[in-house]
Amino acid sequence: MDRIKLGSWNVNGLRACMKKGFMDFFRAEKFDILGLQEIKMLREQADFTFDGYKEYWYSAEKRGYSGTAVFAKNTPISVVYGIGVDHHDHEGRVVSLEYNKFYYINTYTPNAKRELTRLDDRMDWEDSFRSYVTDLALKKPVIICGDLNVAHKEIDLANPKSNVKSAGFTPQEREKFGLLLEAGFIDTFRYKYPTTENAYTWWSYMGNCRAKNIGWRIDYFLVSEALRGNISEARIYPETGGSDHCPVGLVLEM
């Protein structure tokens, strides 16, 4: 049986994160596949290398904004950038790697923004993304990772009552996340730890929130129902600094 160790991290600027210990974490964890979100850079701006890994970069057209990257030990069968919907595919938000037994989809979901100015676009994105991953799931199991920019339940953020109208915890965003799960996906952390509280992956830089653990769980690994029996470990790395998000991980026994 193969043990596959997967990681995901919104680094909030990879070059900045590099200066804050990124490579120490990367070398220590030895992921088979690691997906990054919000890299905020182009590959040619990097003076660092990832020895032993294949690199798949998908930068936003807007410089210094958004973007995703995946580092994989094994060469995939195929790689797809974007979700095939033009108005959603200019910000470098999704990289999909196909392997024999699964698809690995690294995603950075658009933020609805303050005053919810991007909520309508976000709703359209949710429907397009769900269609994209459910189509893939008809072929083989799908693993989705990344910053999905939503706390699903009240247990997933420190102050739910005061954030009902905040981006990332609106009824609309939570409903769309529920629809994604209903389409055949499992929130692996909640599957392993259904009642664990104070488990967060993002903290505001304001108000010393991280030290106080006033956070949100908005970074996920979701897997197709077909992989339910393969879930071995689901992990959050709150002790890992370098970004306002911390990494999350998943181990599958295939």
Side-chain angles (χ1 to χ4, degrees), residues 150 152 170-180 182:
V150 61
H152 185 210
T170 62
Q172 298 97 314
E173 291 165 300
R174 295 168 65 194
E175 180 185 13
K176 293 293 188 184
F177 187 84
L179 290 174
L180 181 58
E182 289 171 13

Side-chain angles (χ1 to χ4, degrees), residues 129-144:
F129 181 76
R130 188 173 65 254
S131 176
Y132 174 71
V133 295
T134 52
D135 283 350
L136 289 180
L138 296 174
K139 303 172 187 175
K140 66 181 74 173
V142 169
I143 300 163
I144 302 167

Side-chain angles (χ1 to χ4, degrees), residues 69-235:
V70 180
F71 307 103
K73 287 182 178 177
N74 295 315
T75 304
I77 296 169
S78 65
V79 181
V80 174
Y81 300 93
I83 58 174
V85 179
D86 182 70
H87 62 277
H88 288 311
D89 285 346
H90 296 274
E91 296 180 343
R93 293 189 176 274
V94 178
V95 180
S96 304
L97 275 58
E98 179 187 0
Y99 288 93
N100 286 327
K101 296 182 179 179
F102 59 85
Y103 291 98
Y104 175 97
I105 300 176
N106 177 41
T107 186
Y108 177 38
T109 299
N111 191 304
K113 303 289 189 186
R114 289 177 183 267
E115 310 301 324
L116 305 179
T117 56
R118 200 175 178 180
L119 185 59
D120 289 345
D121 181 56
R122 166 69 178 264
M123 294 296 96
D124 187 73
W125 162 276
E126 293 283 354
D127 293 339
S128 297
F129 181 76
R130 188 173 65 254
S131 176
Y132 174 71
V133 295
T134 52
D135 283 350
L136 289 180
L138 296 174
K139 303 172 187 175
K140 66 181 74 173
V142 169
I143 300 163
I144 302 167
C145 75
D147 175 4
L148 302 188
N149 257 319
V150 61
H152 185 210
K153 302 285 189 180
E154 290 192 353
I155 194 176
D156 295 316
L157 71 167
N159 295 312
K161 296 293 188 288
S162 61
N163 280 296
V164 172
K165 295 182 180 180
S166 298
F169 197 60
T170 62
Q172 298 97 314
E173 291 165 300
R174 295 168 65 194
E175 180 185 13
K176 293 293 188 184
F177 187 84
L179 290 174
L180 181 58
L181 298 184
E182 289 171 13
F185 293 96
I186 298 166
D187 175 351
T188 59
F189 184 81
R190 278 290 163 237
Y191 173 70
K192 297 293 284 187
Y193 307 103
T195 60
T196 297
E197 299 179 347
N198 305 310
Y200 308 128
T201 66
W202 175 82
W203 304 262
S204 171
Y205 280 133
M206 298 183 291
N208 208 24
C209 284
R210 189 158 188 168
K212 299 174 184 175
N213 199 27
I214 302 171
W216 299 50
R217 189 176 73 93
I218 59 176
D219 301 85
Y220 295 86
F221 266 100
L222 311 180
V223 300
S224 292
E225 282 283 351
L227 294 174
R228 178 184 293 270
N230 305 97
I231 301 168
S232 177
E233 300 174 26
R235 185 171 176 190

